[in-house]
């Protein structure tokens, strides 16, 4: 029994001596608890932008817009006089609902003529679109009920009877982008791209760390001392293999009958930038941490919460600033925004300046840091090689 407890104590000592394991085992639950709690701390979605196309421009339409503003879930980002630029404004302001108030809306109601309020709902994000759509519907239904009851009461109809009478206007909802509302179309791309980032990071975590661990780095430097060549050699196979994974993902879209349309060069360019950003993060950690296990553990900490932090399911606008700051340091956050804009919302590169700049900054910073750190390792390896040569006895 004494021997058993001595072994238990020994295991505790080994655990506390391994700093990486200590951080992961004790730190990860704390870190993820704070991060995920910070993401969902607000508990509900508020201040979602909507666009209103007010073709009527009457006191009644103004009253409806004021009712939208009074709702805590939504706010009116812009009021347009016609629908021609509605889609562009919705993309710029990230509005999930465009409310179109038709011409003669007020007069049609006053003269008991048929009219309707049209809601164009961007269903690319199921959560935010449902919240915004319900908030708009509540405000419009409240106005409808008020008009209906007042009109009937003027005729001497009791309130409880008036509430069941003539409907002053109809509300039509038109879902766009993911019209079917199929959750698979929304969720699958996000999960698959998260998996791609994770396997890229974990694969590249071994790139230089394995060389250091196996003692083959000096041999590698002997074959090429060019820091750019060494980094390219390490990342190129993974980038090429990642295109095979993209091919597999495209096959999934056909298999599941997901209507994905590619915008050629814009998508290819942003994808290359994403892959480079992910690759340079993996390479940087691999150079900085000369242990395969520790390098993969650190990148797992980065990769695991990335989907939750990306803003793909829960909007970044609803997260605390410090969580958003962390999220924007992860390539997936920017790439999922690009994917949604190009593939789902059918937007153009004009709406991608922010996420493309974010990816570029991550790629450039990690690339420069990798070059500096690798050059230091190469210089160290050169000195070791010279020391070995000088220490060898002369022949003859």
């Amino acid at each position: 029994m004494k021997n058993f407890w001595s072994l238990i104590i020994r295991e505790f000592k080994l655990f506390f001596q391994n700093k990486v394991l200590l951080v992961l085992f004790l730190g990860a639950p704390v870190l993820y608890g704070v991060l995920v709690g910070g993401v969902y701390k607000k508990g509900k979605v508020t201040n979602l932008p909507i666009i209103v196309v007010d073709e009527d421009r009457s006191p009644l339409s103004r009253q409806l817009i004021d009712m939208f503003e009074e709702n805590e879930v939504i706010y009116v980002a812009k009021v347009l006089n016609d629908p021609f630029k509605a889609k562009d404004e919705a993309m710029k302001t990230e509005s999930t609902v465009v409310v179109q108030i038709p011409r003669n809306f007020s007069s049609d109601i006053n003269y008991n003529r048929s009219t309707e309020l049209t809601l164009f709902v961007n269903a690319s994000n199921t959560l935010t679109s449902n919240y915004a759509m319900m908030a708009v519907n509540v405000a419009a239904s409240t106005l409808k009920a008020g008009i209906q009851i007042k009109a009937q009461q003027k005729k001497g109809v009791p309130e409880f009877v008036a509430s069941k009478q003539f409907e002053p206007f109809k509300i039509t909802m038109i879902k766009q982008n993911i019209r079917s509302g199929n959750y698979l179309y929304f969720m699958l791309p996000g999960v698959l791209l998260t998996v791609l980032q994770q396997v890229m990071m974990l694969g590249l975590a071994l790139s230089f760390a394995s060389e250091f661990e196996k003692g083959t780095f000096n041999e590698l430097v002997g074959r090429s001392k060019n820091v750019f060549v060494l980094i390219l050699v390490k990342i190129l196979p993974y980038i090429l293999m990642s295109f095979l994974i993209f091919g597999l993902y495209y096959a999934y879209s056909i298999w599941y009958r997901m209507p994905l349309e590619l915008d050629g060069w814009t998508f290819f360019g942003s994808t290359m930038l994403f892959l480079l950003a992910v690759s340079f993060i993996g390479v940087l950690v691999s150079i900085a941490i000369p242990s395969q296990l520790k390098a993969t553990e650190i990148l797992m900490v980065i990769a695991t919460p990335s989907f939750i932090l990306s803003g793909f399911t829960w909007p970044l606008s609803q997260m605390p600033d410090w969580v958003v700051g962390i999220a924007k340091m992860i390539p997936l956050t920017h790439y999922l925004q690009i994917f949604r804009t190009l593939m789902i919302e059918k937007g153009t590169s004009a709406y991608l300046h922010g996420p493309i700049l974010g990816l570029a900054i991550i790629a450039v910073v990690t690339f420069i840091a990798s070059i500096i750190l690798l050059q230091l390792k190469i210089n160290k390896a050169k000195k070791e090689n010279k020391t070995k040569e000088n220490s060898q006895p002369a022949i003859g």
Side-chain angles (χ1 to χ4, degrees):
M1 193 66 180
K2 186 178 180 180
N3 185 50
F4 173 78
W5 286 111
S6 65
L7 291 172
I8 292 291
I9 292 169
R10 178 178 178 273
E11 287 303 313
F12 271 108
K13 286 180 180 178
L14 290 173
F15 172 78
F16 285 104
Q17 286 171 3
N18 189 327
K19 293 180 180 178
V20 175
L21 185 58
L22 182 64
V23 170
L24 285 174
F25 191 84
L26 300 178
V30 174
L31 175 64
Y32 293 157
V34 172
L35 279 178
V36 177
V39 170
Y40 299 109
K41 181 181 178 181
K42 198 172 179 182
K44 59 181 178 179
V45 179
T46 58
N47 295 320
L48 295 174
I50 67 168
I51 299 292
V52 177
V53 178
D54 185 7
E55 294 183 283
D56 190 43
R57 281 170 278 179
S58 65
L60 184 63
S61 65
R62 184 65 250 176
Q63 182 183 350
L64 180 58
I65 293 171
D66 290 341
M67 291 177 74
F68 291 151
E69 291 281 16
E70 290 170 4
N71 192 302
E72 68 169 350
V73 177
I74 56 175
Y75 74 92
V76 179
K78 197 153 190 179
V79 178
L80 305 176
N81 295 329
D82 57 65
F84 299 112
K85 294 184 179 180
K87 184 178 179 181
D88 289 339
E89 291 297 334
M91 295 283 286
K92 288 176 186 176
T93 58
E94 297 183 1
S95 299
T96 54
V97 176
V98 175
V99 183
Q100 186 169 350
I101 305 173
R103 191 176 284 106
N104 301 322
F105 178 69
S106 179
S107 61
D108 285 343
I109 290 173
N110 290 334
Y111 289 102
N112 291 345
R113 292 194 295 258
S114 178
T115 187
E116 68 178 347
L117 198 69
T118 307
L119 314 183
F120 296 93
V121 183
N122 179 358
S124 61
N125 187 322
T126 307
L127 177 74
T128 54
S129 64
N130 284 343
Y131 267 99
M133 183 175 63
M134 284 189 292
V136 169
N137 191 40
V138 166
S141 298
T142 303
L143 177 67
K144 182 196 296 187
I147 294 169
Q148 181 175 310
I149 292 169
K150 283 181 181 179
Q152 294 297 314
Q153 282 181 323
K154 286 178 182 179
K155 298 177 183 179
V157 180
E159 184 176 342
F160 74 93
V161 177
S163 62
K164 300 177 182 178
Q165 298 298 315
F166 171 74
E167 183 179 32
F169 62 89
K170 294 180 180 179
I171 302 173
T172 302
M173 298 182 189
I174 301 174
K175 285 192 175 184
Q176 298 175 313
N177 301 323
I178 303 179
R179 297 180 184 178
S180 66
N182 190 329
Y183 202 66
L184 175 69
Y185 296 174
F186 165 65
M187 201 68 179
L188 186 63
V191 172
L192 292 181
L193 292 174
T194 304
V195 170
L196 174 61
Q197 176 184 260
Q198 193 157 341
V199 297
M200 285 279 290
M201 281 187 175
L202 294 180
L204 284 160
L206 308 178
S207 56
F208 285 102
S210 62
E211 302 279 2
F212 297 134
E213 206 167 68
K214 294 175 183 177
T216 57
F217 182 70
N218 288 3
E219 179 189 335
L220 178 67
V221 172
R223 300 184 68 174
S224 177
K225 297 179 179 63
N226 189 313
V227 66
F228 298 100
V229 171
L230 292 179
I231 291 176
L232 181 62
V233 165
K234 290 296 184 183
I235 70 171
L236 190 58
Y238 289 94
I239 290 177
L240 293 175
M241 287 187 290
S242 69
F243 281 105
L244 295 176
I245 295 176
F246 272 105
L248 175 65
Y249 289 176
Y250 186 73
Y252 282 147
S253 73
I254 296 172
W255 177 261
Y256 293 116
R257 298 178 182 176
M258 296 170 60
L260 296 178
E261 296 178 10
L262 297 176
D263 181 7
W265 291 110
T266 305
F267 177 74
F268 178 78
S270 58
T271 298
M272 277 300 302
L273 193 55
F274 166 69
L275 293 175
L276 288 173
V278 173
S279 298
F280 293 146
I281 289 175
V283 165
L284 177 61
V285 173
S286 185
I287 297 169
I289 310 297
S291 165
Q292 296 181 71
L293 179 60
K294 290 181 179 180
T296 53
E297 286 172 343
I298 289 170
L299 286 172
M300 275 294 291
V301 171
I302 297 172
T304 301
S306 59
F307 183 63
I308 295 173
L309 299 178
S310 68
F312 194 71
T313 54
W314 189 263
L316 288 173
S317 62
Q318 308 300 310
M319 300 181 195
D321 291 340
W322 66 272
V323 176
V324 175
I326 294 172
K328 288 187 175 180
M329 291 190 286
I330 303 173
L332 184 70
T333 301
H334 305 287
Y335 189 63
L336 284 178
Q337 188 176 344
I338 292 169
F339 179 86
R340 174 182 284 160
T341 302
L342 289 179
M343 295 295 183
I344 302 176
E345 298 177 355
K346 305 297 185 293
T348 63
S349 57
Y351 307 108
L352 300 177
H353 294 153
I356 287 176
L357 179 62
L359 281 177
I361 291 172
I362 294 170
V364 170
V365 170
T366 51
F367 180 57
I368 292 172
S370 298
I371 289 172
I372 295 170
L373 203 55
L374 184 58
Q375 189 61 57
L376 293 173
K377 297 278 187 180
I378 290 172
N379 293 341
K380 184 180 178 181
K382 285 180 183 177
K383 289 180 181 178
E384 289 176 356
N385 288 339
K386 283 182 181 180
T387 304
K388 286 180 181 179
E389 289 173 4
N390 294 333
S391 63
Q392 290 178 354
I395 299 172

